[in-house]
Amino acid sequence: MSSTVAVAPRRAADIWRRLHGLVCVFKPAGCTVNHCMRVLRHRLAADLNAVEEARYAAAVDGRTAATGDWAVAPVVDSASLGPPLAGLNPRLLTGPAFQPVDVRVARLASLGRHMSGPLLLGVNSGARLAAALRHAGPQVRVHQVTARLGLATDTLLAAGRPTERAAYGHVTRGRLEAVLSGLQAAHQRLMFEHTGLPVNSQAAYELASRGPARPERAAPPVIYGLRCQQFAPPFVTIEVHSCNESSQYLLTLVADLGRQLRTAAVTVRSRCLRHGPFHLEHALLMKHWQLEHVQRNMRQCLVTAARGLTAPLSASLQPVQGPGGGPQAAAGSRAARHRE
Amino acid sequence: MMNSVRSCLLSLVSRKQLTCPRGVKHWIDGKPRRKHPVNPEIEDRLPVNKYISEGTRPDNRVYTWGYAELGALGNRNLLRPKNGKKPYTYLHRPMRLWFAELNKVTDVACGYGFTVMAVNRPDYKLFGCGLNTSSQIGQQEARAGHPLERVTSPVPITIPVDDPSIKVTAVACGRSHTAFVTSDGAAYTLGNNAYGQCGRQVLEREDYSSNATVHRVPLERPVRSVTCGQDHTMFVTECGRVYCCGWGADGQLGSGAFDSRWQALPAGGDLEGERIVQVACSADCVLAVSESGDVFGWGNSEYAQFASVTEEQQLNVPRRLPLGVGKVTDVASAGTMCAVLNDRGEVYVWGYGMLGKGPELDVSKEPSLIPPTLLGRNDFSPDNTPVSVVSGLYHLSVTTSGGDLFTWGHNRHGALGLGHTEDRLFPLRVSIPARVTKVACGVDHMAALCREYI
């Protein structure tokens, strides 16, 4: 390893100064959001410390670096370093420069523990985006929920303790789709009564006549679309397009669906495919939660957010496409003209 | 500075955390985290509950809502509740009628404070509940000489049809009279006959409060359907003629005069030679649609319902209305508003009041289209189109192909069924967990005939 470098090594302080923004990570199932935040904090701190280590390693004589014997006073190239005391690796004096607690990571969205999907986190100053995102309005999310018919458990998840078994041979795809369309239509009134405008005003009428409306932030969950993607009893997969929903709401939805079908149902898997303008393609896998990947993801998210989130979102909604093809828009409809 | 001091004290812990955050390894293995492990045999030991079998077919249901005090909703527990609760004045959301679970209800009609249901049963074919001051739901006496003015549960109406194979196919209710059509093409009426609305001679000082008269109206057979206005009745025969009788001061008999008449005679005017399939009237303004999709109107026009053909406030001769909305399949006429539905699934409204296009449109002489997105069609459900329009006295309702029911207008006693008593100026969907097939609207209550999903 040469001690003279053609390019000055990166300084962790420079990276740290620029490490602000929104990052979209993929939260795996079985992991809490807090846990993901903790892991991200630790990984970023570790990577930043590694950058500093590399910088000091580059400044030290190659022989000492090879032996790793830090007790011996190293031969330093003081030209590349600062004051005399800086010749010693500060990690030995004061510990690593970057602690996980220094990296501020805030959640900008929520996902249940059993759910997987894109999770928006704000890093350092990105935490302030939470208020801006709330102001922009609730995002439409697309979930792919796999349910198992014929079983009811205490936690409404398939891994829970079974409490009931029911016959499901009578459930056909047509019956399921009829119940789904009824459920979807039932939310029409909710949608229009929670726009934040007085329901009997002209503004509310004009908003409603444009199509599905976005609810205000503090409104109850609203479902825009329910489609049966796969029907293979006892397993059915449903795509849910909704706003303001929570993980518990989706579990209850599946349980209610089972009741409506005269059987029981539990959730096997719940994947979030999309959160507003953020797809699964924008989400960073846990193995890639490293400094360079996070930095690149922040830049991508900035572009996506700038396109989709800076201005207050339109009050009327167009269907959000899942990866398997969402609700087919009629030719020449609003959805075809204004995508996001 | 504080950071470095803190990091000194925590250096041991932080070094460990830098290598492996606690808990990562644990869940990476894929084992579900559960405090108390679950015995996998529990599921096998549970019995399998069978709620319905593969051969079960969806059933009919009846939902009612609105003003409850007169008993029109058919639910006795609303007026005489158990557990010492207060009786309901009104019900602002749909409630399933137990009567329809035990009987096969094929048709339902709502009058002014009462409901009549056609039931497929060999013994009794017609049931009614609600107000009975004019025997509009038959003679109902708990003991002789003491007629019931208010009936809180559906009770059978005795009709002069003995053949068990003959069913009641259509029912209509007016202010205080009822008319129905049987499957053999005969038309019958009962209730108040003060203006001849029952199609029989008006008898002076006739007591309607406990009157068992059910009159078969002599008409050319077969009669296909019947519609009741406020105090008049219109029978539509198979050949498309409309026979009217009853109160005629607004010209609603279509006879060219403003006299009331007990004889049921065909309405003339532009109806000559036309084959009428549907007639709609809830008060005094009558709309009729022919087989070819033309709309005809006669009766009250005080709210510019017939402004397209006349400036007068009454029209006593049926006129073809040049609405310009294409081929019409269904019509509805409220007290001050009119609505039509064409074959493209578009609903047009005109008249005066809460037309359904927001607060700014409260009067319109020409038909105005209601945005299809308000009636259930949007990018998420593009195939949902309206299939019928029904009106009460103060509100309108639309049923769609997907089984949705949308209502709007004046919300008297929660008649809109939206969960409150506020008026609504554009269509909103009523939450009914079944597919709505037919709706009947009264003044302040509604009934919906529905089909289960499963």
Side-chain angles (χ1 to χ4, degrees):
Chain A
M1 193 197 299
S2 162
S3 58
T4 55
V5 286
V7 180
R10 303 186 297 167
R11 288 174 58 94
D14 294 334
I15 302 171
W16 174 248
R17 207 176 305 124
R18 291 193 193 93
L19 196 69
H20 301 279
L22 168 75
V23 60
C24 178
V25 302
F26 179 80
K27 186 193 89 64
C31 174
T32 59
V33 173
N34 278 338
H35 183 92
C36 291
M37 287 158 63
R38 223 173 327 147
V39 170
L40 187 66
R41 252 182 245 129
H42 285 294
R43 294 262 183 94
L44 285 177
D47 288 346
L48 284 162
N49 288 324
V51 165
E52 272 303 285
E53 289 280 347
R55 190 164 82 87
Y56 281 101
V60 167
D61 182 34
R63 196 168 12 110
T64 316
T67 57
D69 188 6
W70 294 105
V72 174
V75 175
V76 297
D77 177 12
S78 39
S80 68
L81 295 172
L85 257 182
L88 283 173
N89 191 332
R91 184 171 80 86
L92 300 175
L93 288 173
T94 57
F98 295 96
Q99 297 289 322
V101 69
D102 297 332
V103 184
R104 291 195 314 277
V105 173
R107 69 167 81 197
L108 303 176
S110 74
L111 270 180
R113 197 174 104 184
H114 63 275
M115 294 163 67
S116 69
L119 175 68
L120 298 180
L121 299 173
V123 177
N124 292 333
S125 293
R128 290 189 220 142
L129 287 170
L133 277 174
R134 271 198 295 274
H135 176 71
Q139 294 296 315
V140 176
R141 287 210 267 194
V142 181
H143 297 267
Q144 198 178 64
V145 178
T146 303
R148 186 190 149 182
L149 300 172
L151 183 69
T153 59
D154 58 347
T155 56
L156 306 180
L157 284 162
R161 187 177 180 283
T163 55
E164 187 197 349
R165 278 202 300 174
Y168 55 87
H170 58 272
V171 179
T172 61
R173 188 170 192 146
R175 285 173 166 177
L176 172 68
E177 284 174 350
V179 173
L180 288 177
S181 76
L183 253 172
Q184 175 189 306
H187 282 251
Q188 183 257 12
R189 188 165 55 85
L190 258 182
M191 206 191 302
F192 294 143
E193 292 198 336
H194 291 283
T195 51
L197 298 163
V199 188
N200 283 339
S201 61
Q202 184 66 18
Y205 162 71
E206 277 164 12
L207 176 62
S209 52
R210 283 201 288 268
R214 187 182 303 278
E216 51 185 354
R217 186 176 59 86
V222 176
I223 293 179
Y224 295 99
L226 279 172
R227 279 192 331 130
C228 173
Q229 276 211 306
Q230 203 189 14
F231 185 75
F235 297 104
V236 302
T237 305
I238 296 161
E239 201 174 84
V240 184
H241 299 241
S242 57
C243 221
N244 275 338
E245 83 292 344
S246 62
S247 62
Q248 192 62 30
Y249 181 80
L250 291 173
L251 293 176
T252 320
L253 181 74
V254 167
D256 286 346
L257 189 68
R259 285 275 153 252
Q260 291 248 19
L261 291 166
R262 304 282 179 272
T263 176
V266 287
T267 307
V268 171
R269 182 182 63 207
S270 183
R271 304 166 55 203
C272 176
L273 302 177
R274 190 170 163 146
H275 180 112
F278 296 100
H279 298 238
L280 280 178
E281 294 90 64
H282 298 131
L284 211 55
L285 289 176
M286 203 177 236
K287 63 183 179 185
H288 293 141
W289 292 5
Q290 281 126 28
L291 196 57
E292 325 124 44
H293 297 293
V294 167
Q295 284 179 304
R296 192 172 55 236
N297 187 274
M298 275 188 194
R299 283 194 293 273
Q300 276 178 346
C301 286
L302 190 66
V303 172
T304 316
R307 256 194 248 132
L309 291 178
T310 40
L313 296 157
S314 76
S316 61
L317 285 161
Q318 282 75 46
V320 167
Q321 295 275 345
Q328 301 303 318
S333 70
R334 247 181 302 110
R337 287 199 298 274
H338 315 291
R339 186 67 67 195
E340 320 223 33
Chain B
M1 204 55 196
M2 277 300 294
N3 249 352
S4 42
V5 172
R6 202 166 2 134
S7 60
C8 251
L9 298 167
L10 297 171
S11 59
L12 272 171
V13 177
S14 54
R15 196 179 300 138
K16 183 180 168 192
Q17 281 178 325
L18 280 173
T19 50
C20 174
R22 193 167 51 159
V24 172
K25 235 173 151 181
H26 174 76
W27 64 261
I28 264 178
D29 294 336
K31 290 196 205 65
R33 281 164 64 172
R34 205 184 161 86
K35 211 169 177 181
H36 305 292
V38 177
N39 186 350
E41 286 168 3
I42 289 176
E43 190 186 325
D44 299 328
R45 268 189 257 130
L46 285 170
V48 179
N49 297 337
K50 195 163 187 176
Y51 293 108
I52 64 170
S53 69
E54 284 84 340
T56 307
R57 290 284 159 262
D59 241 349
N60 274 354
R61 289 184 189 171
V62 171
Y63 287 83
T64 53
W65 62 94
Y67 190 51
E69 276 200 335
L70 296 173
L73 304 190
N75 194 335
R76 191 170 178 273
N77 293 330
L78 293 172
L79 299 171
R80 286 176 196 275
K82 299 158 191 169
N83 316 327
K85 290 193 180 154
K86 274 171 46 182
Y88 281 74
T89 314
Y90 60 86
L91 198 61
H92 52 40
R93 51 154 185 90
M95 191 159 172
R96 200 156 80 171
L97 196 56
W98 62 267
F99 176 78
E101 304 297 313
L102 305 171
N103 297 279
K104 237 179 168 178
V105 176
T106 52
D107 198 11
V108 66
C110 291
Y112 287 32
F114 65 103
T115 313
V116 175
M117 285 173 277
V119 172
N120 192 0
R121 262 169 75 145
D123 49 354
Y124 296 109
K125 301 163 201 305
L126 208 60
F127 281 75
C129 59
L131 197 63
N132 199 27
T133 47
S134 299
S135 303
Q136 52 263 59
I137 51 174
Q139 186 184 43
Q140 309 291 346
E141 288 183 334
R143 47 199 172 104
H146 291 83
L148 296 170
E149 282 188 344
R150 189 182 71 153
V151 178
T152 52
S153 272
V155 287
I157 303 172
T158 314
I159 59 176
V161 176
D162 294 322
D163 191 347
S165 63
I166 295 178
K167 304 184 182 51
V168 173
T169 52
V171 193
C173 300
R175 182 183 59 86
S176 50
H177 72 292
T178 305
F180 60 94
V181 172
T182 51
S183 53
D184 59 347
Y188 297 82
T189 56
L190 64 149
N192 194 302
N193 191 39
Y195 310 112
Q197 61 262 50
C198 284
R200 59 186 172 90
Q201 191 139 37
V202 180
L203 302 170
E204 280 183 49
R205 288 193 291 276
E206 183 176 0
D207 181 23
Y208 298 112
S209 61
S210 183
N211 200 319
T213 311
V214 179
H215 174 70
R216 183 168 62 79
V217 185
L219 298 168
E220 58 169 7
R221 289 204 193 188
V223 179
R224 189 197 236 178
S225 70
V226 61
T227 305
C228 290
Q230 190 158 2
D231 281 311
H232 71 293
T233 317
M234 290 160 291
F235 305 91
V236 180
T237 59
E238 189 65 42
C239 47
R241 271 192 282 273
V242 182
Y243 288 79
C244 309
C245 60
W247 180 251
D250 274 318
Q252 56 261 61
L253 301 182
S255 59
F258 293 106
D259 304 324
S260 303
R261 181 182 72 211
W262 67 264
Q263 298 94 331
L265 295 172
D270 290 354
L271 293 184
E272 305 273 347
E274 296 284 344
R275 190 136 179 228
I276 300 297
V277 291
Q278 169 90 12
V279 173
C281 178
S282 56
D284 301 319
C285 170
V286 186
L287 287 177
V289 64
S290 70
E291 205 176 28
S292 51
D294 294 323
V295 178
F296 300 83
W298 66 97
N300 188 1
S301 181
E302 283 170 15
Y303 300 94
Q305 289 105 319
F306 303 138
S308 51
V309 288
T310 179
E311 295 288 325
E312 302 291 314
Q313 299 215 320
Q314 284 93 14
L315 189 62
N316 59 7
V317 174
R319 288 261 165 269
R320 176 183 281 112
L321 302 178
L323 298 174
V325 297
K327 186 180 174 195
V328 171
T329 54
D330 203 1
V331 282
S333 172
T336 61
M337 307 181 276
C338 293
V340 294
L341 168 70
N342 69 6
D343 58 348
R344 286 194 301 272
E346 296 165 345
V347 176
Y348 290 83
V349 286
W350 75 97
Y352 171 79
M354 297 170 197
L355 296 175
K357 294 193 67 172
E360 281 182 11
L361 190 78
D362 59 350
V363 61
S364 174
K365 288 186 181 172
E366 286 106 27
S368 187
L369 174 68
I370 291 188
T373 47
L374 290 175
L375 294 172
R377 197 196 305 176
N378 50 45
D379 294 322
F380 290 98
S381 45
D383 303 323
N384 208 2
T385 46
V387 292
S388 87
V389 181
V390 179
S391 70
L393 196 58
Y394 302 112
H395 64 281
L396 286 163
S397 69
V398 161
T399 321
T400 64
S401 57
D404 303 327
L405 171 64
F406 293 85
T407 55
W408 69 96
H410 183 44
N411 200 354
R412 263 177 85 114
H413 299 294
L416 294 184
L418 298 171
H420 51 73
T421 47
E422 294 161 23
D423 301 340
R424 281 290 173 254
L425 304 176
F426 61 86
L428 287 171
R429 190 186 176 275
V430 180
S431 291
I432 296 183
R435 259 195 277 251
V436 177
T437 49
K438 194 199 151 146
V439 166
C441 300
V443 169
D444 49 19
H445 79 289
M446 279 176 80
L449 196 58
C450 308
R451 196 143 183 90
E452 291 178 337
Y453 291 122
I454 282 191

Short mmCIF file of all heavy atoms in Angstrom, two decimals, chain A residues 97-132:
data_model
loop_
_atom_site.label_atom_id
_atom_site.label_comp_id
_atom_site.label_asym_id
_atom_site.label_seq_id
_atom_site.Cartn_x
_atom_site.Cartn_y
_atom_site.Cartn_z
N ALA A 97 -15.22 8.38 16.24
CA ALA A 97 -15.76 9.74 16.12
C ALA A 97 -17.28 9.73 15.96
O ALA A 97 -17.98 10.59 16.48
CB ALA A 97 -15.11 10.44 14.94
N PHE A 98 -17.78 8.79 15.23
CA PHE A 98 -19.21 8.76 14.93
C PHE A 98 -19.88 7.66 15.73
O PHE A 98 -19.56 6.49 15.58
CB PHE A 98 -19.44 8.56 13.43
CG PHE A 98 -18.93 9.71 12.62
CD1 PHE A 98 -17.66 9.65 12.04
CD2 PHE A 98 -19.67 10.86 12.46
CE1 PHE A 98 -17.17 10.71 11.32
CE2 PHE A 98 -19.19 11.93 11.73
CZ PHE A 98 -17.94 11.86 11.16
N GLN A 99 -20.82 8.06 16.58
CA GLN A 99 -21.58 7.12 17.37
C GLN A 99 -22.95 6.95 16.74
O GLN A 99 -23.48 7.89 16.14
CB GLN A 99 -21.75 7.67 18.79
CG GLN A 99 -20.46 7.84 19.54
CD GLN A 99 -19.89 6.49 19.92
OE1 GLN A 99 -20.62 5.58 20.28
NE2 GLN A 99 -18.58 6.38 19.82
N PRO A 100 -23.52 5.79 16.91
CA PRO A 100 -24.88 5.61 16.34
C PRO A 100 -25.86 6.67 16.83
O PRO A 100 -26.73 7.10 16.10
CB PRO A 100 -25.29 4.21 16.83
CG PRO A 100 -24.01 3.51 17.06
CD PRO A 100 -23.03 4.54 17.51
N VAL A 101 -25.69 7.11 18.05
CA VAL A 101 -26.64 8.09 18.59
C VAL A 101 -26.51 9.44 17.89
O VAL A 101 -27.43 10.24 17.90
CB VAL A 101 -26.42 8.21 20.12
CG1 VAL A 101 -25.10 8.88 20.42
CG2 VAL A 101 -27.57 8.91 20.78
N ASP A 102 -25.35 9.67 17.24
CA ASP A 102 -25.18 10.94 16.52
C ASP A 102 -25.99 10.98 15.25
O ASP A 102 -26.38 12.06 14.79
CB ASP A 102 -23.70 11.14 16.16
CG ASP A 102 -22.83 11.26 17.38
OD1 ASP A 102 -23.35 11.70 18.42
OD2 ASP A 102 -21.65 10.88 17.30
N VAL A 103 -26.17 9.82 14.64
CA VAL A 103 -26.90 9.78 13.37
C VAL A 103 -28.39 9.84 13.70
O VAL A 103 -28.95 8.92 14.28
CB VAL A 103 -26.59 8.48 12.60
CG1 VAL A 103 -27.27 8.49 11.25
CG2 VAL A 103 -25.08 8.28 12.46
N ARG A 104 -29.01 10.94 13.31
CA ARG A 104 -30.44 11.07 13.61
C ARG A 104 -31.23 10.43 12.47
O ARG A 104 -31.13 10.83 11.32
CB ARG A 104 -30.83 12.55 13.73
CG ARG A 104 -30.25 13.23 14.96
CD ARG A 104 -30.94 14.55 15.24
NE ARG A 104 -31.11 15.38 14.07
CZ ARG A 104 -30.17 16.20 13.56
NH1 ARG A 104 -28.99 16.26 14.13
NH2 ARG A 104 -30.42 16.92 12.49
N VAL A 105 -31.97 9.43 12.84
CA VAL A 105 -32.84 8.78 11.85
C VAL A 105 -34.27 8.87 12.36
O VAL A 105 -34.54 8.47 13.49
CB VAL A 105 -32.43 7.30 11.65
CG1 VAL A 105 -33.43 6.59 10.76
CG2 VAL A 105 -31.05 7.21 11.03
N ALA A 106 -35.12 9.40 11.57
CA ALA A 106 -36.52 9.54 11.99
C ALA A 106 -37.41 8.80 10.99
O ALA A 106 -37.12 8.72 9.81
CB ALA A 106 -36.91 11.00 12.03
N ARG A 107 -38.50 8.25 11.49
CA ARG A 107 -39.40 7.56 10.58
C ARG A 107 -40.36 8.56 9.95
O ARG A 107 -40.91 9.42 10.61
CB ARG A 107 -40.18 6.49 11.32
CG ARG A 107 -41.20 7.03 12.31
CD ARG A 107 -42.11 5.95 12.75
NE ARG A 107 -41.49 5.16 13.80
CZ ARG A 107 -41.92 3.95 14.15
NH1 ARG A 107 -42.91 3.40 13.52
NH2 ARG A 107 -41.32 3.29 15.11
N LEU A 108 -40.55 8.44 8.67
CA LEU A 108 -41.48 9.31 7.97
C LEU A 108 -42.74 8.55 7.56
O LEU A 108 -43.65 9.11 6.99
CB LEU A 108 -40.82 9.91 6.72
CG LEU A 108 -39.53 10.68 7.00
CD1 LEU A 108 -38.91 11.13 5.70
CD2 LEU A 108 -39.81 11.87 7.89
N ALA A 109 -42.76 7.26 7.81
CA ALA A 109 -43.92 6.45 7.48
C ALA A 109 -43.89 5.26 8.43
O ALA A 109 -42.92 5.06 9.14
CB ALA A 109 -43.89 5.98 6.04
N SER A 110 -44.95 4.50 8.42
CA SER A 110 -44.97 3.34 9.31
C SER A 110 -45.32 2.09 8.52
O SER A 110 -46.02 2.14 7.51
CB SER A 110 -45.99 3.56 10.42
OG SER A 110 -47.28 3.41 9.90
N LEU A 111 -44.78 0.99 8.97
CA LEU A 111 -45.11 -0.31 8.40
C LEU A 111 -45.17 -1.28 9.56
O LEU A 111 -44.31 -1.22 10.44
CB LEU A 111 -44.03 -0.76 7.41
CG LEU A 111 -44.17 -0.38 5.94
CD1 LEU A 111 -42.99 -0.93 5.17
CD2 LEU A 111 -45.45 -0.88 5.35
N GLY A 112 -46.13 -2.17 9.54
CA GLY A 112 -46.24 -3.12 10.62
C GLY A 112 -45.07 -4.09 10.65
O GLY A 112 -44.34 -4.23 9.68
N ARG A 113 -44.92 -4.77 11.76
CA ARG A 113 -43.78 -5.65 11.90
C ARG A 113 -43.83 -6.80 10.91
O ARG A 113 -42.83 -7.23 10.36
CB ARG A 113 -43.72 -6.19 13.33
CG ARG A 113 -42.36 -6.78 13.65
CD ARG A 113 -42.28 -7.16 15.08
NE ARG A 113 -42.40 -8.60 15.20
CZ ARG A 113 -42.45 -9.24 16.35
NH1 ARG A 113 -42.44 -8.58 17.47
NH2 ARG A 113 -42.55 -10.55 16.37
N HIS A 114 -45.03 -7.31 10.67
CA HIS A 114 -45.14 -8.45 9.77
C HIS A 114 -45.13 -8.03 8.30
O HIS A 114 -45.10 -8.87 7.41
CB HIS A 114 -46.44 -9.21 10.06
CG HIS A 114 -47.66 -8.38 9.80
ND1 HIS A 114 -48.19 -7.53 10.72
CD2 HIS A 114 -48.43 -8.26 8.70
CE1 HIS A 114 -49.24 -6.93 10.22
NE2 HIS A 114 -49.42 -7.35 8.99
N MET A 115 -45.14 -6.74 8.03
CA MET A 115 -45.22 -6.27 6.66
C MET A 115 -43.83 -5.97 6.12
O MET A 115 -42.91 -5.67 6.86
CB MET A 115 -46.06 -4.99 6.60
CG MET A 115 -47.51 -5.24 6.95
SD MET A 115 -48.40 -3.77 7.37
CE MET A 115 -48.42 -2.94 5.83
N SER A 116 -43.72 -6.04 4.81
CA SER A 116 -42.46 -5.66 4.16
C SER A 116 -42.79 -4.61 3.13
O SER A 116 -43.92 -4.50 2.68
CB SER A 116 -41.82 -6.87 3.49
OG SER A 116 -42.60 -7.28 2.39
N GLY A 117 -41.75 -3.83 2.78
CA GLY A 117 -42.01 -2.85 1.74
C GLY A 117 -41.16 -1.61 1.91
O GLY A 117 -40.32 -1.52 2.81
N PRO A 118 -41.34 -0.63 1.03
CA PRO A 118 -40.55 0.60 1.11
C PRO A 118 -40.91 1.38 2.36
O PRO A 118 -42.07 1.60 2.64
CB PRO A 118 -40.94 1.36 -0.17
CG PRO A 118 -42.24 0.80 -0.58
CD PRO A 118 -42.31 -0.60 -0.08
N LEU A 119 -39.88 1.77 3.06
CA LEU A 119 -40.05 2.53 4.30
C LEU A 119 -39.27 3.83 4.16
O LEU A 119 -38.10 3.81 3.81
CB LEU A 119 -39.52 1.71 5.47
CG LEU A 119 -39.51 2.38 6.84
CD1 LEU A 119 -40.94 2.59 7.32
CD2 LEU A 119 -38.75 1.52 7.83
N LEU A 120 -39.93 4.92 4.42
CA LEU A 120 -39.27 6.22 4.27
C LEU A 120 -38.67 6.63 5.61
O LEU A 120 -39.38 6.68 6.62
CB LEU A 120 -40.28 7.28 3.84
CG LEU A 120 -40.95 7.03 2.48
CD1 LEU A 120 -41.92 8.14 2.18
CD2 LEU A 120 -39.92 6.93 1.38
N LEU A 121 -37.38 6.88 5.60
CA LEU A 121 -36.70 7.34 6.80
C LEU A 121 -35.98 8.64 6.49
O LEU A 121 -35.44 8.81 5.40
CB LEU A 121 -35.68 6.30 7.30
CG LEU A 121 -36.25 4.94 7.68
CD1 LEU A 121 -35.11 3.97 7.97
CD2 LEU A 121 -37.16 5.05 8.90
N GLY A 122 -35.95 9.51 7.45
CA GLY A 122 -35.23 10.76 7.28
C GLY A 122 -33.94 10.70 8.04
O GLY A 122 -33.92 10.31 9.21
N VAL A 123 -32.83 11.04 7.40
CA VAL A 123 -31.53 11.00 8.04
C VAL A 123 -31.09 12.42 8.36
O VAL A 123 -31.14 13.30 7.49
CB VAL A 123 -30.49 10.31 7.11
CG1 VAL A 123 -29.12 10.34 7.75
CG2 VAL A 123 -30.92 8.88 6.84
N ASN A 124 -30.67 12.64 9.60
CA ASN A 124 -30.25 13.96 10.09
C ASN A 124 -31.30 15.01 9.79
O ASN A 124 -32.40 14.93 10.31
CB ASN A 124 -28.86 14.30 9.54
CG ASN A 124 -27.81 13.40 10.13
OD1 ASN A 124 -27.98 12.90 11.26
ND2 ASN A 124 -26.71 13.15 9.42
N SER A 125 -30.99 15.98 8.95
CA SER A 125 -32.00 17.03 8.71
C SER A 125 -33.21 16.51 7.96
O SER A 125 -34.22 17.20 7.89
CB SER A 125 -31.39 18.17 7.91
OG SER A 125 -30.43 18.82 8.67
N GLY A 126 -33.07 15.34 7.40
CA GLY A 126 -34.22 14.77 6.71
C GLY A 126 -35.39 14.50 7.63
O GLY A 126 -36.51 14.33 7.18
N ALA A 127 -35.13 14.48 8.93
CA ALA A 127 -36.22 14.28 9.89
C ALA A 127 -37.24 15.40 9.81
O ALA A 127 -38.42 15.20 10.08
CB ALA A 127 -35.65 14.18 11.30
N ARG A 128 -36.79 16.57 9.39
CA ARG A 128 -37.71 17.70 9.29
C ARG A 128 -38.70 17.52 8.16
O ARG A 128 -39.69 18.24 8.07
CB ARG A 128 -36.92 18.99 9.06
CG ARG A 128 -36.12 19.40 10.27
CD ARG A 128 -35.55 20.79 10.08
NE ARG A 128 -34.20 20.83 10.62
CZ ARG A 128 -33.19 21.50 10.07
NH1 ARG A 128 -33.38 22.17 8.97
NH2 ARG A 128 -32.01 21.47 10.62
N LEU A 129 -38.41 16.55 7.25
CA LEU A 129 -39.34 16.32 6.15
C LEU A 129 -40.65 15.74 6.62
O LEU A 129 -41.64 15.75 5.88
CB LEU A 129 -38.71 15.36 5.14
CG LEU A 129 -37.59 15.94 4.28
CD1 LEU A 129 -36.92 14.84 3.51
CD2 LEU A 129 -38.15 16.98 3.33
N ALA A 130 -40.66 15.23 7.85
CA ALA A 130 -41.89 14.59 8.33
C ALA A 130 -43.05 15.58 8.29
O ALA A 130 -44.14 15.26 7.83
CB ALA A 130 -41.69 14.07 9.75
N ALA A 131 -42.77 16.81 8.75
CA ALA A 131 -43.85 17.81 8.76
C ALA A 131 -44.28 18.14 7.34
O ALA A 131 -45.47 18.28 7.05
CB ALA A 131 -43.37 19.06 9.49
N ALA A 132 -43.30 18.26 6.43
CA ALA A 132 -43.62 18.59 5.05
C ALA A 132 -44.44 17.48 4.39
O ALA A 132 -45.39 17.74 3.66
CB ALA A 132 -42.33 18.82 4.25
#
